[in-house]
Amino acid sequence: MDDKRDFLSIFRKKKPILAMLHLKGDTDADIEERMKKEIDLYVENGVDCIIIENYFGQYHNMEKALQYVKNLNLSIPYGVNCLNVDAMGFYLAEKYQASFVQLDSVVGHVKPRDEDTLDAFFKLCRSKYTGKILGGVRFKYQPVLSANTLEEDLKIAMQRCDAICVTQDATGQETSLEKIQQFRKGIGNFPLIVGAGITPENMEKQFAYADGAIVGSYFKDTYKDDGEVSGEHVKAIVEAAERIRRREA
């Protein structure tokens, strides 16, 4: 793989844990204060990456969070996911020097007639943005309008992004081992990230096929997306990943 497009090269460790910032809060001040506390908990407990996403917050909250993270000069990479407006995700990633853009879908979510336009969009973005792209296929909450088989769409996705993200149907829902295995079979040794539902209990089985995981809901005190980030939950995930790394070393 081209080193410039090697998604896993941006992480210091194998099987990285990518921590999601949901930007929850009742006011801009509350969102900012909560965001700073969550970053501290993530960094203190050893996550490998942070993703800033406007899951609860709005665009301006995401931009402020990116500026804050950029100024921290963290030793770990960070990415951005601007939900529903991919072009602005690329804009923010470039502006705030994010290591990658996460996109919920890179193929199959538009009508077949629009796939050519989508392909042109990705070629344009890749010609301008030097960072990596983490792209979803058959991703949670995304429509499936493709006329292709999953295997065909996975091959297309590998041309549009630098790692593929797999989920089940909802936030926090465990991604089935069967689906992870199906994706791995379809993409060979191309980077594969589990995007939802990983736990210390299922991590070993999933990491036998996947190269890393995005974690959001599990980090909350309620194990649900609208809870509060728990340092103990972050530590539990990170320690589980470390045990797997030691066994594979």
Side-chain angles (χ1 to χ4, degrees), residues 129-179:
Y129 176 57
T130 58
K132 312 294 192 294
I133 301 173
L134 171 60
V137 178
R138 304 293 197 274
F139 201 79
K140 55 188 172 77
Y141 308 122
Q142 292 294 306
V144 179
L145 305 177
S146 179
N148 299 327
T149 65
L150 171 62
E151 290 70 24
E152 289 170 334
D153 276 343
L154 286 171
K155 286 181 170 56
I156 294 170
M158 291 166 65
Q159 301 302 313
R160 294 178 178 173
C161 62
D162 308 298
I164 288 175
C165 193
V166 58
T167 70
Q168 209 63 35
D169 301 322
T171 297
Q173 181 182 354
E174 180 174 351
T175 308
S176 71
L177 190 61
E178 180 182 9
K179 190 172 184 181

Side-chain angles (χ1 to χ4, degrees), residues 171-225:
T171 297
Q173 181 182 354
E174 180 174 351
T175 308
S176 71
L177 190 61
E178 180 182 9
K179 190 172 184 181
I180 296 170
Q181 291 171 327
Q182 187 178 18
F183 272 54
R184 173 53 70 200
K185 182 179 179 181
I187 66 176
N189 62 0
F190 195 79
L192 178 64
I193 304 296
V194 175
I198 204 159
T199 69
E201 292 73 28
N202 67 25
M203 186 183 294
E204 185 167 7
K205 288 184 178 179
Q206 296 199 359
F207 274 7
Y209 302 94
D211 299 302
I214 297 173
V215 185
S217 298
Y218 188 91
F219 285 157
K220 308 298 177 68
D221 54 357
T222 59
Y223 300 106
K224 295 183 179 180
D225 53 6

Side-chain angles (χ1 to χ4, degrees), residues 15-114:
K15 310 291 184 180
I17 300 299
L18 290 66
M20 186 63 75
L21 278 175
H22 283 143
L23 300 182
K24 176 187 170 184
D26 297 322
T27 64
D28 286 351
D30 184 30
I31 290 172
E32 183 175 359
E33 181 181 0
R34 190 186 303 271
M35 171 267 294
K36 291 177 180 179
K37 289 180 179 178
E38 291 180 355
I39 289 173
D40 287 344
L41 286 170
Y42 287 156
V43 173
E44 289 169 6
N45 287 285
V47 303
D48 303 294
C49 174
I50 293 171
I51 303 176
I52 296 92
E53 179 182 86
N54 54 330
Y55 186 86
F56 290 116
Q58 299 183 42
Y59 179 86
H60 68 276
N61 303 124
M62 184 167 50
E63 187 159 24
K64 195 159 189 176
L66 281 161
Q67 181 66 69
Y68 178 77
V69 171
K70 180 176 180 290
N71 290 342
L72 285 177
N73 292 315
L74 296 173
S75 60
I76 58 174
Y78 56 94
V80 57
N81 186 0
C82 184
L83 296 173
N84 302 318
V85 187
D86 293 346
M88 296 311 295
F90 282 103
Y91 168 76
L92 290 173
E94 190 72 40
K95 182 176 181 180
Y96 295 102
Q97 300 174 14
S99 296
F100 65 93
V101 176
Q102 182 190 353
L103 306 173
D104 281 2
S105 184
V106 294
V107 65
H109 60 288
V110 299
K111 294 180 179 180
R113 72 178 186 196
D114 297 322

